[in-house]
Amino acid sequence: MLIKKLVSLPSRSGRHLQRYNHGCRLVVGCIPYRYRETKTSPPIHGTLIEELEVLLITSQKSPRMMFPKGGWEIDEDIKLAATRETMEEAGVVGTLGDKLGEWIFKSRSQDTFREGYMFPMLVTEEFDVWPEKNVRQRIWMTVNEAREVCAHSWMKEALDAFCSLIRASANKEKEFP
């Protein structure tokens, strides 16, 4: 119910609630994914990378593609922040998996470093209206297409970590059916 209310509110803005670690702004985001629509449902276990689609969004200021991410604020835990940012920027919610990793990267818009954390999110709902709908586009694509168009190398590394997790899960299922 809380998420339904957040969808109709404007995105949070400003830096007064932002978390920092030794001067690095902390950002969190998700790799939203779903199973490709086919005539037959793909198996939940043993999923191939080719059976997945991931959701990328455009930057607010350019057509560059990326995964949704934004500031982790002091009144949120990390998973709530990742869910909020993904809902605000991409208009989707879902089930978060375990953290894929953390990356230190340089901000393109400012000459400072960021510390980023990414999570996989199995999308369960896609909204027609969301806070940043008027300033972003969202596009579902294959993992390989996403790797080609994603503008940030650290996000491509997060995508690789996600793919490794999916492959490991599929291999574990093969070993122990």
Side-chain angles (χ1 to χ4, degrees):
M1 187 62 181
L2 174 64
I3 293 296
K4 298 277 188 190
K5 284 184 179 181
L6 290 175
V7 168
S8 62
L9 296 175
S11 294
R12 285 184 168 195
S13 61
R15 299 278 190 258
H16 63 285
L17 294 177
Q18 296 293 289
R19 289 180 189 248
Y20 290 85
N21 181 23
H22 303 291
C24 283
R25 183 170 165 236
L26 303 183
V27 297
V28 294
C30 290
I31 296 179
Y33 71 98
R34 68 182 181 190
Y35 298 99
R36 293 181 78 169
E37 293 180 18
T38 61
K39 292 182 181 166
T40 59
S41 297
I44 298 300
H45 300 290
T47 300
L48 299 172
I49 297 300
E50 294 77 22
E51 296 171 338
L52 298 176
E53 291 180 318
V54 294
L55 183 67
L56 277 79
I57 59 170
T58 57
S59 165
Q60 283 188 352
K61 299 173 184 165
S62 77
R64 286 194 325 261
M65 301 297 295
M66 64 190 71
F67 292 108
K69 64 101 179 100
W72 176 10
E73 300 187 355
I74 59 175
D75 62 341
E76 309 171 296
D77 68 33
I78 193 169
K79 287 191 168 190
L80 177 60
T83 300
R84 177 186 53 77
E85 284 294 341
T86 302
M87 185 279 303
E88 287 178 354
E89 294 187 354
V92 296
V93 293
T95 305
L96 283 188
D98 293 333
K99 183 172 63 172
L100 294 168
E102 55 189 82
W103 291 266
I104 304 292
F105 63 95
K106 193 169 186 180
S107 169
R108 284 193 171 168
S109 61
Q110 299 155 357
D111 199 25
T112 58
F113 286 91
R114 305 278 191 258
E115 190 172 317
Y117 301 86
M118 294 293 283
F119 294 85
M121 175 189 276
L122 176 58
V123 172
T124 57
E125 192 165 1
E126 188 171 345
F127 299 105
D128 293 329
V129 176
W130 68 96
E132 296 186 16
K133 178 181 180 166
N134 293 330
V135 293
R136 296 186 190 274
Q137 292 181 345
R138 63 182 179 195
I139 302 169
W140 287 100
M141 60 186 69
T142 68
V143 168
N144 287 336
E145 290 168 335
R147 192 175 286 110
E148 289 294 318
V149 302
C150 185
H152 301 293
S153 60
W154 73 275
M155 287 186 173
K156 290 180 183 185
E157 290 176 17
L159 181 60
D160 290 341
F162 170 68
C163 291
S164 294
L165 182 72
I166 294 295
R167 284 187 192 102
S169 175
N171 289 337
K172 185 183 284 186
E173 184 61 30
K174 286 177 189 175
E175 292 174 17
F176 303 102

